[in-house]
């Protein structure tokens, strides 16, 4: 699974991924640019990239933990991950797989090794330490009649590559830059993009042990990604 990730340099996102910014994201950027995001956790409002009405990729905010638009009242589940192998046929994710695919920008993520606590956290990133994007799904949910809608998202997972296999039996789907447009194209159905849902090239990634301080969502500083 993917339960924590990082965006250490928000300023780099727009330039690195070639996207526009929505107004809510610009306000968010001003608040967190000084410190970065070293411990993005479920329920946090996070940057996601979606096409705007003109089809241009645009950064906005959504809450991590998917709630389908058809859910009424308090949701029983808010999954942070979706299995790529079954998302197209799952009642929870099927509609989003067809029409509401997004990119979730990051520059690293954490995974925990071990069957029982205390598990060892690892930080995983690209060898060149550049930003990348997870394959995500999003939904717009209305908590109640007359309430403001809430955008939510989940991250797709797949089988691990050689870097992740010793640590965990799943990894997030990381998309090649050349696949971004295809993944977000509303004209393509889930079957048309199924080939993108695969383990990322292990030769471009690295993983190392980090402090268990990352276990607490409230911790957010550069020491979380320092090797131990």
């Amino acid at each position: 699974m993917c339960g924590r990730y990082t965006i250490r340099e928000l300023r780099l996102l727009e330039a690195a991924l070639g996207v526009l910014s929505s107004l809510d994201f610009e306000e968010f950027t001003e608040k967190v640019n000084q410190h970065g995001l070293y411990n993005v956790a479920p329920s946090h409002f996070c940057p996601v990239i979606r096409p705007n009405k003109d089809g241009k990729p645009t950064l906005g905010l959504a809450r991590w933990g998917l709630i389908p638009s058809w859910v009424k009242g308090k949701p029983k589940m808010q999954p942070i991950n979706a299995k790529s192998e079954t998302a197209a046929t799952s009642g929870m994710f099927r509609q989003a797989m067809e029409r509401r695919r997004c990119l979730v920008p990051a520059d690293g993520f954490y995974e925990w090794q071990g069957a029982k606590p205390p598990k060892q956290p690892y930080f995983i990133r690209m060898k060149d330490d550049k930003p990348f994007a997870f394959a995500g799904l999003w939904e717009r949910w209305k908590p109640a009649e007359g309430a403001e809608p809430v955008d939510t998202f989940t991250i797709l997972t797949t089988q691990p590559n050689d870097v992740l296999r010793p640590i965990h039996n799943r990894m997030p789907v990381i998309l090649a830059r050349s696949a971004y447009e295809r993944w977000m194209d509303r004209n393509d159905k889930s079957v048309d993009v199924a080939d993108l849902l695969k383990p990322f090239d292990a030769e471009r990634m690295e993983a190392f042990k980090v402090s268990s301080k990352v276990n607490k969502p409230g911790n957010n500083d550069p020491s979380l990604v320092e090797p131990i």
Side-chain angles (χ1 to χ4, degrees), residues 44-119:
H44 287 181
F45 277 89
C46 312
V48 295
I49 302 172
R50 296 167 285 188
N52 64 14
K53 62 181 181 179
D54 299 317
K56 302 292 185 182
T58 305
L59 273 166
L61 293 178
R63 193 171 71 192
W64 190 8
L66 192 83
I67 306 175
S69 57
W70 44 261
V71 169
K72 306 297 182 185
K74 186 177 181 179
K76 294 181 180 179
M77 296 188 297
Q78 299 180 44
I80 63 170
N81 292 154
K83 281 191 173 183
S84 60
E85 297 90 340
T86 58
T89 56
S90 164
M92 177 72 73
F93 307 115
R94 185 172 58 244
Q95 291 183 18
M97 269 295 292
E98 288 296 325
R99 297 284 296 168
R100 290 180 288 278
R101 298 185 296 268
C102 65
L103 303 176
V104 181
D107 53 27
F109 63 98
Y110 301 96
E111 194 51 82
W112 282 258
Q113 182 188 59
K116 297 179 180 179
K119 297 182 179 182

Side-chain angles (χ1 to χ4, degrees), residues 122-178:
Y122 281 75
F123 183 60
I124 302 100
R125 65 183 182 186
M126 298 297 158
K127 288 180 178 178
D128 61 12
D129 206 21
K130 289 184 177 178
F132 53 87
F134 302 125
L137 307 175
W138 74 278
E139 288 272 15
R140 181 160 290 162
W141 172 68
K142 208 168 188 178
E145 191 65 33
E148 286 293 318
V150 179
D151 288 354
T152 66
F153 75 95
T154 191
I155 295 172
L156 288 160
T157 66
T158 186
Q159 298 296 316
N161 61 18
D162 289 344
V163 172
L164 269 293
R165 191 170 293 110
I167 303 170
H168 200 270
N169 63 358
R170 302 290 293 177
M171 71 174 291
V173 175
I174 299 171
L175 296 170
R177 187 175 297 259
S178 59

Side-chain angles (χ1 to χ4, degrees), residues 4 26 38 56 80 118 144 156 192 215 218 225:
R4 302 284 177 81
E26 290 176 353
Y38 290 86
K56 302 292 185 182
I80 63 170
L156 288 160
D192 300 320
N215 294 355
V225 299

